[in-house]
Amino acid sequence: MAGGVAAAVLGAIGGAGAYAYAGEVPRGTSVLGVDIGGKNRSDAIAALHAGLAKQAGKLGNPVAVRLGDRAAEVTPADIDLGVDVEATVTVAIEASPNPIGRLLGSRTVEPVVTLDEGKLHDLLGTALGKDARAMKQPSITFSGTTPKPNYPQPGRGLDAARSADAVRSGWLGGGPVDVPIVEIHPATTKEDVDKLVAEFARPAVSAPVTVTTERGDVTVAPAAIAKSLRLVADKAGRIEPALDAKKLRAALSTPLGAVEVQPKDARVAIVSGKPRVTEGTEGRQVDVTALATDLLAVLPKSDERTVTGKLVAAKPATTAADVAKLGIKERVSTFTTKFTGGLGAPRSQNIVQIAKDVDGTLVKPGAVFSLNGHTGERGYRQGYRDAPVILDGKLVPGVGGGTSQFTTTLFNAAYYAGLEDVHHKPHSYYFDRYPAVIESTIFWPDLDMKFRNNTEYGVVIDTSWTDNSITVSMYSTKVWDSVSTEYSPRRNITSPKVIKLPKGPTCIATNGIPGFTQDAFRVFKKDGKVVEREKFTWTYSAEPRFTCG
């Protein structure tokens, strides 16, 4: 009888154990009201997905957030806020209760909540608005070769991780979520900045660095180091010293020129009136990107400030194949203006010098040609001489006088090629050696002449001269049948006044020229029809009659 009772009890216990341990998830387990108990993993995942789908409306409602005194809302979909079903089922399985708990208990498992911290941070940052205060990032700048520390200051705002924790834990609580506003400190302290000045910035510019190459040595002066050294903080406030390779090359342009061979682009030469493409040539240049990295290693040192510079092949920016695709096959415009004095006159020599500087220039489709940008400063070092220029309304000697005549010639060649006028300024006074209205002056660096190649073909500028004329021609592919000019009558004509100037070398007498206003219409024809008329208008002042003495 005792044996029978014992057997019955053992059978009951065994049956209860089998019931309690049926499935991977303990019986009585629920998540957000969804029963997943007694199921294996895959069935529990499916059941929880189905149960949450029924609550999608509720779970997708905006979450009320408090940012100090500010109230805001966050839409779950905007920050990828939701329940990680697979991770939640894993938690339910792994946090399994004891056998009695599995048999008799019930429990609620908190869901594993996920969100995109970056998206939440951006949204809350916008909501915080003016209540936020950016932290002042540290940096070290240079005044000449003297390092100047800029110390960090804390800001006031949000910590992305703490904001995410608050929203994850408070999302399903039913009330507004309090997101903490905290003081934000840069990773680099004032003491760190002072240490970086003493141990890196000051030694970096204490002496030059010698760069040895197979073609000779290059000296990197402290001023060049200071111009290219970057000691600024990242978003976290950390300062990682770096050398800007582009600024380093610019600062070393003259010394590098002694050891480098510059690449030459393919160009278009005009031979017997026909464009001919000639291939460019490779150059040899110092690898300044590698040099910048190597320099960083020796800048903190007081001696052994020598690095090896590697010369690498420098390919032309434009190859013959590139040029061949641009469709440069014929002359599309030409324009000539006359000058006096012969080629020996300083003014004539300036005209020829700027023509040489521009000759053969390739303007690619969509590119803007700037005459100032192309030639740079036109001074004595560049081969220009003193000749009369207009300054404050009168003619005075000035370096580069006469370049406005080339500018007008170039402007008209671009004008009659149908190219887009970007910027030009006619002279204040009318000179009969130029066409009225459609002419242009230039002066470094304030007055420029620019045009855009608004065609699908390349444009090559060809210049030539005689002892009394300058000619500019454009070579490309014709877009228009013709481009011509129609003028309105002159109006608002004014007479010159007489101004007496002291006699001396800076006084240049003039006869005076009447002033007037006039319109010029650029007329574009295609397929025998006028398709566009572009209006240019200019008012010339009456040039005074200047007398000397």
Side-chain angles (χ1 to χ4, degrees):
M1 183 174 173
V5 170
V9 171
L10 290 174
I13 292 173
Y19 172 83
Y21 282 90
E24 296 177 79
V25 181
R27 292 189 178 278
T29 300
S30 65
V31 178
L32 297 178
V34 180
D35 183 9
I36 59 172
K39 294 179 170 54
N40 61 33
R41 178 180 179 81
S42 59
D43 289 344
I45 289 173
L48 186 53
H49 272 300
L52 294 181
K54 295 178 181 179
Q55 303 178 42
K58 176 184 175 182
L59 298 178
N61 288 335
V63 182
V65 175
R66 280 197 297 251
L67 302 165
D69 295 332
R70 287 181 178 263
E73 283 188 342
V74 177
T75 302
D78 292 340
I79 59 171
D80 301 333
L81 177 61
V83 175
D84 186 333
V85 172
E86 288 78 3
T88 301
V89 171
T90 298
V91 169
I93 293 172
E94 292 178 351
S96 180
N98 59 45
I100 300 300
R102 291 183 67 103
L103 180 62
L104 303 176
S106 65
R107 63 178 184 143
T108 298
V109 173
E110 293 297 323
V112 177
V113 178
T114 61
L115 55 78
D116 187 311
E117 285 191 10
K119 292 179 179 179
L120 175 65
H121 190 65
D122 291 342
L123 285 173
L124 294 182
T126 301
L128 187 58
K130 295 181 180 179
D131 285 351
R133 184 182 70 247
M135 60 182 176
K136 180 182 176 183
Q137 299 286 21
S139 66
I140 300 171
T141 56
F142 287 88
S143 175
T145 55
T146 303
K148 302 289 185 183
N150 301 295
Y151 295 117
Q153 291 180 4
R156 181 174 182 270
L158 303 169
D159 180 272
R162 293 180 64 179
S163 298
D165 286 343
V167 172
R168 271 193 292 260
S169 61
W171 170 34
L172 301 171
V177 177
D178 286 309
V179 173
I181 299 175
V182 298
E183 194 172 74
I184 306 169
H185 291 268
T188 300
T189 65
K190 178 181 183 298
E191 291 72 25
D192 294 332
V193 173
D194 287 335
K195 184 178 180 181
L196 193 58
V197 169
E199 297 181 0
F200 185 87
R202 197 172 289 127
V205 293
S206 62
V209 176
T210 299
V211 179
T212 61
T213 77
E214 61 191 68
R215 290 174 54 86
D217 293 348
V218 174
T219 298
V220 185
I225 297 170
K227 287 179 181 177
S228 53
L229 191 57
R230 286 179 50 83
L231 295 167
V232 296
D234 58 19
K235 289 183 179 180
R238 299 181 184 87
I239 298 179
E240 291 292 340
L243 279 164
D244 187 307
K246 288 184 178 180
K247 290 183 178 179
L248 181 62
R249 173 166 287 285
L252 296 177
S253 59
T254 300
L256 286 178
V259 299
E260 293 183 332
V261 178
Q262 297 301 319
K264 292 183 179 179
D265 287 345
R267 65 189 304 271
V268 177
I270 307 304
V271 181
S272 300
K274 297 290 184 182
R276 179 183 296 172
V277 179
T278 59
E279 185 60 271
T281 57
E282 278 193 351
R284 297 270 288 168
Q285 292 183 331
V286 173
D287 184 347
V288 290
T289 300
L291 177 61
T293 301
D294 294 341
L295 281 173
L296 283 175
V298 302
L299 290 184
K301 298 180 179 180
S302 58
D303 54 8
E304 298 182 5
R305 293 169 66 92
T306 301
V307 298
T308 300
K310 183 180 180 182
L311 288 168
V312 295
K315 295 185 179 297
T318 304
T319 66
D322 296 331
V323 176
K325 297 175 183 176
L326 296 178
I328 302 166
K329 62 182 184 181
E330 60 192 334
R331 191 175 75 181
V332 296
S333 71
T334 187
F335 199 82
T336 300
T337 59
K338 302 284 188 178
F339 55 79
T340 59
L343 292 179
R347 184 177 185 278
S348 305
Q349 291 176 10
N350 289 337
I351 293 172
V352 171
Q353 182 62 54
I354 192 171
K356 289 179 179 178
D357 292 343
V358 174
D359 187 42
T361 299
L362 172 64
V363 186
K364 294 182 178 180
V368 173
F369 175 86
S370 160
L371 187 51
N372 274 345
H374 183 81
T375 67
E377 184 176 2
R378 296 174 294 276
Y380 302 118
R381 288 191 304 146
Q382 291 78 25
Y384 292 87
R385 302 188 175 192
D386 281 330
V389 298
I390 298 176
L391 188 64
D392 296 330
K394 59 181 181 289
L395 286 173
V396 297
V399 63
T403 52
S404 285
Q405 176 150 2
F406 175 82
T407 306
T408 287
T409 312
L410 174 63
F411 173 79
N412 274 268
Y415 173 96
Y416 285 108
L419 302 176
E420 179 186 343
D421 172 39
V422 174
H423 176 76
H424 79 285
K425 183 180 183 297
H427 288 80
S428 302
Y429 307 132
Y430 172 66
F431 301 102
D432 59 8
R433 60 178 175 266
Y434 305 144
V437 183
I438 50 173
E439 46 96 1
S440 180
T441 185
I442 196 167
F443 196 82
W444 174 266
D446 303 314
L447 291 178
D448 198 3
M449 192 282 286
K450 301 178 183 179
F451 67 84
R452 186 191 313 276
N453 178 5
N454 55 337
T455 76
E456 60 183 298
Y457 308 103
V459 172
V460 169
I461 305 172
D462 179 66
T463 67
S464 60
W465 53 88
T466 68
D467 60 357
N468 68 351
S469 69
I470 179 70
T471 298
V472 178
S473 302
M474 299 286 183
Y475 283 80
S476 184
T477 289
K478 280 196 172 183
V479 175
W480 309 101
D481 291 351
S482 68
V483 179
S484 59
T485 301
E486 295 178 359
Y487 281 103
S488 73
R490 295 179 180 179
R491 59 187 183 275
N492 302 330
I493 297 174
T494 57
S495 300
K497 58 183 179 180
V498 178
I499 297 178
K500 296 182 179 181
L501 299 174
K503 185 180 293 185
T506 62
C507 180
I508 299 175
T510 61
N511 293 324
I513 303 171
F516 59 90
T517 298
Q518 194 170 22
D519 304 321
F521 297 89
R522 179 159 60 159
V523 181
F524 298 82
K525 286 186 178 180
K526 193 172 184 65
D527 299 328
K529 298 178 181 179
V530 174
V531 294
E532 186 178 345
R533 289 171 62 87
E534 184 179 10
K535 183 180 179 180
F536 295 81
T537 301
W538 189 249
T539 297
Y540 291 101
S541 301
E543 181 190 29
R545 179 172 175 259
F546 289 106
T547 62
C548 300

